[in-house]
Amino acid sequence: MNTTGPAGKGLRLHPFRGLRYVPERVGSLAAVTSPPYDVVVRPDGLHHLESADPHNIVRLILPQAATPGDRHRQAASTLSRWLSEGVLAPDPEPALYVYEQRDGDMLQRGVIGALALSAPAEGVVLPHEDVMPDVVADRAALMRATAANLEPLLLTYRGEGDATAGAGTPGGDATSGTAAVIERAIGRAPLLATTTEDGFRHRLWSVTDAADLAEIADDLSHHQALIADGHHRWATYLRLRDEHPATGPWGYGLVLLVDTVRHPLRVRAIHRLLHRLPVDRAVAALAGSFQVRTIGGSLSVALDALAGAASSGNAFLLAGDGRFHLVDRPDGDLLARTIRTDRPAAWRALDATVLHSTLLDHVWRIPDAPEHIAYIHDAEAAVEQAERHGGTAVLLHPVHEEVVLDLARQGVTMPRKSTSFGPKPATGLVLRSLTLG
């Protein structure tokens, strides 16, 4: 996407003084990082991260206390203490940060900075999913308490490069613009380098040269971006901007911008865990509305069966009773009665649309509330949680990126948690204080 909003404004990415862990004050950089807050599988993953290092960033993004207010105050107190103790320290001058993730043949590079906020109607930053008001309220309260952006959103844009050109890295050699600045930066020694337990290697460089910053600014001013990951945090940024002077630090939000011409992202599904619905009841309620077949074998075999069924229509996997149940071929009359007609055909055909509008709202009658539904990125974790607690895991097949882009360009948002773009930036490598600018 290289068109800008109706007012002719494109992306405006500003340097900032990043807050970073002081290596000498922590066990290791890998031990203090975390996945984004909504990817952490609770409670097991949360406990694992908390025990990895007493300064793990999860104590800021997912603080644990009896009430929401106590949690947010605890995060603010922890951040203040870590700053006073020198566990975290600001960089000496404002910078943009080149960030690299690598796992085998997968390579992703982008730029982290403070992005000027804009409403969806401006056409500069395009959302593609709905959000849950309670999550936005919680993230807003946390940001107010800490006065910090604790983790970057993942945004994508489409640069001018040729993804098939050159050799060695996606996109070939770049002669100007953001890609050129990135290539010059990676020739220097990084500010940090670490490998997290998922096998990803992470490196970070700062860009402070005025000419480099101007080159990035000019390039990005001609582009718009898609929110790949972080819709709730973007909605939080906009809410807090409305509470503060827009020209101040609250008028910007921490993001990672990735050019997907050079570095295509992976698109995966986000699965649902239905806490209070056992599998036998879920399957029984589908009689006459969907075809249900039991799939033998492992999770990978069942996911292959899901992919095959999804190629010709809506399909889901139910799990939680030690087996896998393939649900597909919905009744057309049921879909016509339960799915709104004022949206494009591509939206009406989404698995997430059918799941929420037909299955959750009509067939199972399950409210979309945290006590009833959890959103889990990892299929194996969703199945394990369902089996452990007697619920139902609903596994989905990923949406094609082209569908996401097409709907976003039309201003149509998908049901919440429809996609998982990645790889996602590790949380804890660089933070942004709103008191430092």
Side-chain angles (χ1 to χ4, degrees):
M1 293 180 293
N2 59 358
T3 57
T4 57
K9 297 185 300 182
L11 300 167
R12 293 182 291 141
L13 192 68
H14 288 233
F16 68 102
R17 291 180 64 194
L19 288 181
R20 296 190 294 111
Y21 280 100
V22 177
E24 295 77 14
R25 299 303 307 273
V26 298
S28 71
L29 289 175
V32 295
T33 63
S34 164
Y37 80 97
D38 58 337
V39 180
V40 177
V41 178
R42 287 164 269 186
D44 298 356
L46 177 64
H47 293 158
H48 173 72
L49 291 165
E50 287 180 327
S51 62
D53 188 284
H55 301 108
N56 189 282
I57 192 69
V58 78
R59 297 180 185 275
L60 299 183
I61 62 172
L62 290 173
Q64 299 300 294
T67 69
D70 288 342
R71 290 196 294 270
H72 304 141
R73 285 187 289 272
Q74 178 175 296
S77 175
T78 300
L79 176 59
S80 177
R81 184 176 72 255
W82 288 358
L83 287 168
S84 65
E85 294 174 350
V87 174
L88 288 167
D91 283 333
E93 58 183 320
L96 296 179
Y97 296 87
V98 170
Y99 176 47
E100 176 188 277
Q101 295 165 274
R102 187 187 292 269
D103 179 27
D105 294 334
M106 199 294 304
L107 171 67
Q108 178 172 288
R109 292 183 181 131
V111 179
I112 295 174
L115 186 68
L117 303 179
S118 59
E122 297 178 53
V124 178
V125 175
L126 304 177
H128 71 268
E129 289 183 355
D130 292 332
V131 296
M132 293 175 276
D134 60 311
V135 177
V136 175
D138 176 75
R139 292 295 100 181
L142 179 63
M143 285 191 201
R144 287 190 200 99
T146 59
N149 298 154
L150 301 174
E151 46 187 340
L153 284 66
L154 175 60
L155 272 60
T156 68
Y157 70 102
R158 297 190 64 80
E160 305 298 334
D162 177 4
T164 64
T169 63
D173 295 330
T175 58
S176 64
T178 305
V181 176
I182 289 174
E183 289 191 3
R184 292 196 294 269
I186 64 174
R188 307 192 303 266
L191 290 176
L192 63 85
T194 189
T195 301
T196 45
E197 66 178 4
D198 58 5
F200 272 88
R201 291 178 287 164
H202 308 263
R203 295 197 294 173
L204 193 76
W205 296 261
S206 65
V207 177
T208 58
D209 179 77
D212 287 340
L213 295 174
E215 189 169 355
I216 291 175
D218 179 67
D219 179 26
L220 294 179
S221 70
H222 302 288
H223 295 281
Q224 62 182 173
L226 175 76
I227 301 176
D229 184 70
H231 284 80
H232 289 88
R233 284 166 286 164
W234 183 260
T236 298
Y237 288 168
L238 294 179
R239 174 180 293 191
L240 296 177
R241 180 191 67 167
D242 292 343
E243 299 174 2
H244 298 83
T247 55
W250 296 89
Y252 301 83
L254 185 64
V255 305
L256 166 65
L257 276 168
V258 174
D259 175 1
T260 54
V261 170
R262 301 178 65 82
H263 302 288
L265 270 64
R266 301 168 178 167
V267 186
R268 294 176 175 166
I270 301 176
H271 311 291
R272 276 63 170 162
L273 173 60
L274 310 181
H275 297 297
R276 302 179 181 180
L277 181 67
V279 176
D280 58 346
R281 283 173 44 199
V283 170
L286 297 173
S289 300
F290 288 77
Q291 175 178 275
V292 182
R293 290 168 284 163
T294 300
I295 304 297
S298 64
L299 174 59
S300 62
V301 171
L303 289 173
D304 286 342
L306 173 62
S311 65
S312 57
N314 300 117
F316 312 91
L317 270 182
L318 306 186
D321 62 351
R323 298 177 295 172
F324 299 101
H325 307 271
L326 180 64
V327 177
D328 64 351
R329 302 183 186 180
D331 177 72
D333 290 338
L334 175 64
L335 298 185
R337 293 196 310 271
T338 57
I339 296 178
R340 55 192 296 180
T341 59
D342 60 343
R343 295 292 180 93
W347 183 91
R348 292 170 54 81
L350 292 170
D351 287 339
T353 298
V354 173
L355 173 59
H356 283 264
S357 298
T358 304
L359 288 172
L360 294 176
D361 292 350
H362 181 81
V363 175
W364 293 326
R365 300 187 182 279
I366 294 177
D368 193 354
E371 61 268 27
H372 292 277
I373 304 176
Y375 294 83
I376 299 180
H377 290 69
D378 181 74
E380 185 174 358
V383 173
E384 190 275 332
Q385 292 274 334
E387 292 179 344
R388 181 189 302 183
H389 300 292
T392 295
V394 184
L395 308 184
L396 287 81
H397 189 66
V399 181
H400 291 295
E401 183 178 5
E402 293 76 13
V403 174
V404 178
L405 290 171
D406 181 58
L407 289 173
R409 290 183 180 124
Q410 296 179 61
V412 177
T413 53
M414 300 165 63
R416 61 197 63 166
K417 300 293 183 180
S418 293
T419 61
S420 176
F421 282 84
K424 306 177 190 302
T427 298
L429 297 182
V430 60
L431 290 65
R432 175 177 174 252
S433 168
L434 293 163
T435 61
L436 292 174

